[in-house]
Amino acid sequence: HHNNHNNIGNAPKSPSRTTTTTTTTTSLDSMKDTLESLGDKVIQKFGLQGTDFCDTFNAKTWVSDSGVYGTAMWMSESSPNWLTGVSLCTRVNSDATNEQLTINIWMGPSYDVPNMLLTFGEESNGKYSVVADYVVRGSIPIGSDPPYLESYYGDDVRTAWTKAYSLGQPLPPTMEFESRMLDSPAKIAVGGLTKADADSIAQEHLDRFLVWVDGASTIPARSRGSMNMRDDKIRQFFYRGQV
């Protein structure tokens, strides 16, 4: 730091401080460790295996024309029971200052547990964001089924929502109408978080979901057709919102 004499006043010289502040724009303090630990938890829980689905679309690793790059993996249970599948995705912008790390869990028609959506990562300002939701499923509108509301959108979920918004700033809603079709009243979309807060919001979001899975009772076979039909629509809207 040969230009230290340009410092105005007698501010203490802390070269290491300067380097950290100047490099935050070009390198991430990534949350990939969090994605890995949450992914491992889900893989263990459901006995997941990789599929070649993303390979088929050359999307396992990808780079866009604008230099954005990422990875995508679709996993399914080795002996199907709970799920339709799980997607694990990463997306990093071209100058590596912004990341979106995703784990989405799509339930199958045998249980009424909401789908779990979770995306988190570092924002370009060195803060962190979390977008997390439990997608309402089934043919009965939310609010018409008090036990469902109590099971999956009860006090714990509402408290988590309030807490998350007290720790950061609300993010603007997604621009895609199709994506907003899936939003539940419990959706968290918060930026400006510390890494520790983003981590704990993400961990708690998944852990709560896994507890629901443990306590879920099966849907009667006669109701699974309508559950499946609605689930297909939900996934179609989600896909359209992404593309």
Side-chain angles (χ1 to χ4, degrees), residues 38-230:
L38 298 185
D40 286 348
K41 207 182 270 193
V42 171
I43 289 165
Q44 299 299 315
K45 172 80 178 170
F46 296 106
L48 297 181
Q49 56 188 13
T51 66
D52 62 359
F53 184 74
C54 296
D55 284 337
T56 317
F57 292 95
N58 294 326
K60 200 170 181 181
T61 59
W62 54 270
V63 181
S64 76
D65 295 343
S66 61
V68 178
Y69 59 94
T71 60
M73 193 193 304
W74 176 256
M75 306 193 81
S76 61
E77 291 167 294
S78 37
S79 45
N81 174 27
W82 298 98
L83 307 178
T84 297
V86 173
S87 54
L88 289 163
C89 308
T90 67
R91 181 183 186 280
V92 182
N93 70 352
S94 50
D95 56 358
T97 56
N98 184 298
E99 65 182 355
Q100 290 170 351
L101 310 173
T102 296
I103 178 163
N104 290 337
I105 305 179
W106 302 95
M107 294 295 295
S110 304
Y111 299 88
D112 69 357
V113 178
N115 297 318
M116 191 208 80
L117 305 183
L118 177 60
T119 295
F120 52 87
E122 188 171 4
E123 302 176 300
S124 32
N125 57 8
K127 294 287 192 179
Y128 294 80
S129 66
V130 178
V131 178
D133 204 359
Y134 301 120
V135 180
V136 180
R137 298 173 60 230
S139 50
I140 301 170
I142 188 171
S144 312
D145 182 352
Y148 189 81
L149 207 55
E150 203 37 60
S151 298
Y152 303 128
Y153 300 91
D155 290 345
D156 54 341
V157 170
R158 298 176 204 192
T159 306
W161 188 93
T162 308
K163 183 183 165 194
Y165 281 90
S166 74
L167 295 169
Q169 288 85 46
L171 293 172
T174 172
M175 298 303 289
E176 287 74 22
F177 175 80
E178 291 85 353
S179 299
R180 296 197 305 276
M181 289 278 288
L182 276 73
D183 289 357
S184 89
K187 181 176 181 177
I188 290 169
V190 178
L193 297 164
T194 65
K195 191 178 187 181
D197 285 340
D199 184 82
S200 72
I201 294 169
Q203 300 274 2
E204 284 168 24
H205 188 73
L206 174 65
D207 288 346
R208 188 181 299 110
F209 169 83
L210 294 178
V211 169
W212 291 341
V213 167
D214 281 336
S217 44
T218 51
I219 290 175
R222 66 179 180 281
S223 311
R224 290 179 196 173
S226 63
M227 185 60 107
N228 219 2
M229 219 154 65
R230 171 101 176 98

